[in-house]
Amino acid sequence: MSTIAQPSDSSPPATPAPASPTPADPWGTTGATQVVVEHISAGQAAIRRFLRHRLAIVGVIVVVTVVVMAIVAPLLSPWPPNYIDFITGSRKPPSDWHPLGTDIVGRDIWARLLYGGRTSIIVGLGAVALYLAIGTLLGLAAGFYGGKVDQVIMRFTDTIMSLPPLLLIIVFVAAIGPSIYSVITVIGLLGWPITCRLVRGQLLVLRESEFITAARVVGVGDRTILFRHMLPNIFGPLTVVATFGVATAILLESSLSFLGLGVRPPQSSWGNLITEAVNPNVLNDVPWQWMPAAVAITLMVLGVNFIGDGLRDALDPRTAKRG
Amino acid sequence: MGAYILRRLLISIPVLLGITIIGFVALKMTPGDPLTASLNPEVLANLMSRPEVLEAERKRLGFDQPIFPNQYLIWLGKVVQGDFGYSVTSKRSIAYEVGSRLPQTLFLMIIALTLAVVIAIPVGVISAVRQYSKLDYSLNGMAIFLASTPVFVLGLVFVYVFAVNLRLFPTSELHSTNRHDIGDAIWHVVLPASVLAIVNAAPLVRYTRASMLDVLSSDYITTARAKGVLPWLVTTRHALRNGLIPIITLLALLIPESVAGAVITEQIFAWNGMGQMVVKAANARDPSLMMAVILITGVAVLLANLIADIGYAMADPRVRLDRAK
């Protein structure tokens, strides 16, 4: 049986709705259709609000462009990303052969930029998928069962949240050994607290709501209530958290690769394209080495953040007005 | 107050233990002989020729025992006595490694955070007071843009513009060769501190604005305005004081991050602080050094939270620290 106390004033399912339907209109639908002039669902309304958010649309355009370019990378660049062009040589400025020039060993920067985009997208999506799963499960457990389970999970969450993320990730990635997989795993294993808190908070509210009480009275089991009735109600806020999470994960990956602790060379990443620029000579004399990647990361992160802003305003109209 | 601080410190001990346990177990899984990380390298070099002594030493230090809890407790016992072990790479004691770098990091961090607060709070307040004005849009837009710019991009652009091209500031390092005076140090700290300040200021501006907007719409502000209190006094005396509370929380999160080293900023500017040590430790998989980093970060987190609590009490007289909840 469930561990949650039923509210004492819960109404039995047989009680009719406040506006009692007339015999001619047993479901009270005619009244509703008359009031709602234009029938749009909550989802459609959210989509409209999103489409009206100008920055979000800019974000969508930027992100879609980057994603498509990363997917069709081989079509956009004749050079394989790790191919060293000895004929052109290293550190050559942009030319017809190499639209963005070559790097310090003679690889095509444009190709490396495109394939670096792949790395960013894979890490962004992979890490967020992992921590959404962990955070949602832990949050559901904490919010649904309450009591000791809740206390233990939340104490753990607070501990992880209080630590500086980049530092923690550096330590753990180094411990496992840097690679794209360890970056995804570590960001995924350390990133869940925000999701967990959100899910728990939403669940605490949902738990007291009438439709859940109604479901319980009818005799719906714990698992069905959790996954069929409660979880779909959290999808909105989860989407927002996931979007911002992707931006953060992309930033973290590029930071790690920049420090030489992320994606292993020769696999390219926007972060490791920029690493060379720490040397002031490269910074000044080979700007085509680092500038495109710098612009790409900034645009991508900005774009994803704009989408997140738009989603937040669209899915939660109450918070839209607060800056 | 004293009793409160003491109680908070006692409560925080389990958290600190938790952090170090997680770190310890994770680091023990890294490949490499733990013996090299815990013995004085000179002693170790002498012992290398005698494997049976090494084996005995390994036993004495407990490396044949389970990682948790036995090895962890041994490590903890040593740390309590001030023995943090040795760095594998530099062959120096951890105490020396940390001691020689912490001052540089604190120097950079204090300047950067002060700058960030001095810039961000007024900007956030102005943005909130003039909500939906052009000024608000441009300030807020700039904050969003800067918050999305990776630190290393911002840092490199700064070096590119101000150091390499304009030659106003040095590109890196703590001081010029053969110069150790304060003027030279300040000249060197300008660029890294500005980068760090801007990066930290961007979220601060957004928080300040949101928090001020919340407060400015409350009834007591309307009352104050209705009574005829000067507008700027309403903003500074009445609203800001309440609006500061969430900002203190954010600051408490920024402090440990900076103590552990503005990892990326220090890397770009070759600033020989904790951040560089972290990267070095991670690249070399130096377990003792990384453990020290985790421990220091944990302590910094707890101290920052304590400072935040005291800050709440100062900003809001209703908050009483001494009374139990």
Side-chain angles (χ1 to χ4, degrees):
Chain A
M1 272 311 286
S2 86
T3 52
I4 294 159
Q6 302 277 344
S8 54
D9 60 340
S10 63
S11 45
T15 311
S20 58
T22 56
D25 176 23
W27 311 108
T29 46
T30 34
T33 40
Q34 273 164 7
V35 175
V36 181
V37 180
E38 187 196 8
H39 190 88
I40 55 168
S41 70
Q44 284 168 318
I47 292 173
R48 284 193 187 183
R49 277 196 295 272
F50 183 78
L51 291 177
R52 240 178 280 143
H53 199 287
R54 252 183 288 160
L55 283 181
I57 300 302
V58 174
V60 169
I61 295 171
V62 169
V63 172
V64 168
T65 314
V66 174
V67 171
V68 169
M69 284 170 78
I71 292 173
V72 301
L75 300 179
L76 295 174
S77 170
W79 302 98
N82 297 334
Y83 179 79
I84 299 174
D85 182 4
F86 289 108
I87 300 165
T88 309
S90 61
R91 294 192 186 192
K92 288 289 178 290
S95 62
D96 289 347
W97 276 97
H98 298 280
L100 290 177
T102 57
D103 70 358
I104 46 160
V105 289
R107 295 171 297 195
D108 184 60
I109 302 255
W110 172 237
R112 292 189 72 70
L113 191 70
L114 292 172
Y115 286 88
R118 283 188 175 183
T119 308
S120 285
I121 294 162
I122 292 170
V123 170
L125 295 181
V128 170
L130 186 58
Y131 77 59
L132 271 189
I134 302 175
T136 308
L137 283 179
L138 286 177
L140 286 176
F144 194 74
Y145 294 109
K148 282 235 171 74
V149 179
D150 183 32
Q151 276 191 354
V152 170
I153 293 180
M154 289 329 282
R155 186 51 58 84
F156 192 43
T157 310
D158 289 341
T159 309
I160 294 200
M161 270 187 106
S162 66
L163 290 167
L166 180 62
L167 187 77
L168 218 54
I169 290 169
I170 288 178
V171 170
F172 284 99
V173 168
I176 308 177
S179 78
I180 185 169
Y181 304 106
S182 56
V183 171
I184 293 176
T185 316
V186 170
I187 298 179
L189 289 181
L190 294 174
W192 54 268
I194 297 175
T195 319
C196 176
R197 269 196 183 176
L198 173 91
V199 171
R200 171 181 174 270
Q202 298 275 322
L203 225 61
L204 290 182
V205 179
L206 277 178
R207 208 165 68 168
E208 307 301 328
S209 62
E210 285 177 358
F211 79 98
I212 296 296
T213 314
R216 273 191 195 295
V217 174
V218 192
V220 181
D222 270 7
R223 194 179 297 174
T224 318
I225 288 193
L226 250 185
F227 291 100
R228 294 288 291 277
H229 298 264
M230 287 176 153
L231 194 56
N233 275 291
I234 323 177
F235 277 156
L238 270 185
T239 322
V240 178
V241 168
T243 313
F244 286 123
V246 169
T248 314
I250 291 177
L251 259 184
L252 283 172
E253 184 276 324
S254 58
S255 307
L256 286 173
S257 299
F258 171 77
L259 292 172
L261 293 165
V263 171
R264 278 243 164 115
Q267 186 176 7
S268 83
S269 141
W270 290 340
N272 66 25
L273 276 170
I274 298 179
T275 310
E276 304 293 337
V278 172
N279 177 350
N281 293 328
V282 175
L283 187 74
N284 193 37
D285 304 334
V286 201
W288 58 87
Q289 159 90 44
W290 60 276
M291 276 184 180
V295 172
I297 298 172
T298 312
L299 272 183
M300 183 69 174
V301 174
L302 205 58
V304 178
N305 276 335
F306 281 160
I307 297 178
D309 265 342
L311 282 174
R312 188 179 52 198
D313 292 358
L315 294 172
D316 192 2
R318 278 162 304 170
T319 58
K321 287 282 171 274
R322 271 190 273 148
Chain B
M1 192 75 138
Y4 171 80
I5 292 175
L6 193 66
R7 200 170 62 236
R8 265 304 292 261
L9 287 178
L10 288 178
I11 293 173
S12 60
I13 288 176
V15 180
L16 199 54
L17 289 179
I19 296 169
T20 50
I21 289 172
I22 297 173
F24 189 82
V25 174
L27 290 180
K28 277 291 167 189
M29 296 180 181
T30 56
D33 188 351
L35 199 59
T36 54
S38 39
L39 278 185
N40 188 329
E42 284 170 26
V43 180
L44 190 71
N46 289 334
L47 290 177
M48 270 305 177
S49 52
R50 294 155 65 194
E52 75 284 354
V53 181
L54 271 183
E55 208 47 52
E57 192 66 14
R58 198 160 283 160
K59 205 155 243 165
R60 191 181 66 84
L61 289 166
F63 292 135
D64 53 340
Q65 294 175 31
I67 290 171
F68 188 82
N70 304 25
Q71 287 200 30
Y72 173 75
L73 290 178
I74 295 171
W75 173 83
L76 194 66
K78 282 188 183 164
V79 165
V80 171
Q81 297 165 32
D83 175 10
F84 294 89
Y86 289 86
S87 160
V88 182
T89 37
S90 71
K91 316 282 181 214
R92 293 203 190 92
S93 76
I94 298 296
Y96 174 84
E97 288 280 331
V98 171
S100 66
R101 289 193 172 89
L102 202 53
Q104 278 93 295
T105 292
L106 290 178
F107 176 55
L108 178 61
M109 171 202 127
I110 289 170
I111 295 179
L113 280 187
T114 314
L115 261 176
V117 170
V118 169
I119 297 168
I121 292 182
V123 169
V125 170
I126 291 169
S127 197
V129 172
R130 301 247 180 281
Q131 195 192 4
Y132 299 137
S133 68
K134 278 198 179 128
L135 185 67
D136 174 34
Y137 278 122
S138 45
L139 286 177
N140 205 28
M142 215 157 80
I144 296 174
F145 178 72
L146 288 174
S148 299
T149 314
V151 192
F152 51 89
V153 170
L154 194 70
L156 288 176
V157 170
F158 264 54
V159 175
Y160 189 66
V161 175
F162 296 109
V164 176
N165 285 330
L166 296 178
R167 297 183 183 282
L168 287 176
F169 298 102
T171 54
S172 59
E173 301 281 343
L174 203 62
H175 40 69
S176 318
T177 27
N178 303 326
R179 276 190 68 179
H180 290 277
D181 55 305
I182 188 78
D184 186 58
I186 288 175
W187 186 53
H188 277 80
V189 86
V190 171
L191 276 190
S194 326
V195 169
L196 213 49
I198 290 174
V199 168
N200 286 324
L204 264 180
V205 168
R206 301 193 73 192
Y207 267 76
T208 310
R209 179 175 178 273
S211 160
M212 282 300 282
L213 282 178
D214 260 3
V215 175
L216 282 174
S217 61
S218 51
D219 288 340
Y220 82 96
I221 296 293
T222 317
T223 310
R225 285 200 180 123
K227 283 197 303 184
V229 180
L230 288 173
W232 70 272
L233 275 181
V234 174
T235 313
T236 51
R237 287 258 181 91
H238 296 236
L240 184 59
R241 199 150 174 180
N242 254 329
L244 274 179
I245 291 169
I247 301 164
I248 293 172
T249 314
L250 185 65
L251 270 176
L253 284 173
L254 291 179
I255 292 175
E257 195 125 3
S258 318
V259 172
V263 180
I264 295 169
T265 315
E266 290 191 2
Q267 195 70 14
I268 291 174
F269 292 95
W271 193 265
N272 188 19
M274 296 290 291
Q276 281 224 314
M277 191 183 89
V278 171
V279 176
K280 213 178 90 182
N283 272 322
R285 298 203 195 171
D286 196 331
S288 306
L289 206 51
M290 286 205 267
M291 217 39 228
V293 170
I294 292 176
L295 192 64
I296 291 167
T297 318
V299 172
V301 167
L302 300 174
L303 285 182
N305 286 345
L306 191 65
I307 294 171
D309 279 350
I310 297 169
Y312 294 144
M314 272 161 52
D316 187 347
R318 286 168 302 184
V319 176
R320 293 257 178 278
L321 296 181
D322 289 329
R323 219 178 291 150
K325 278 179 198 164

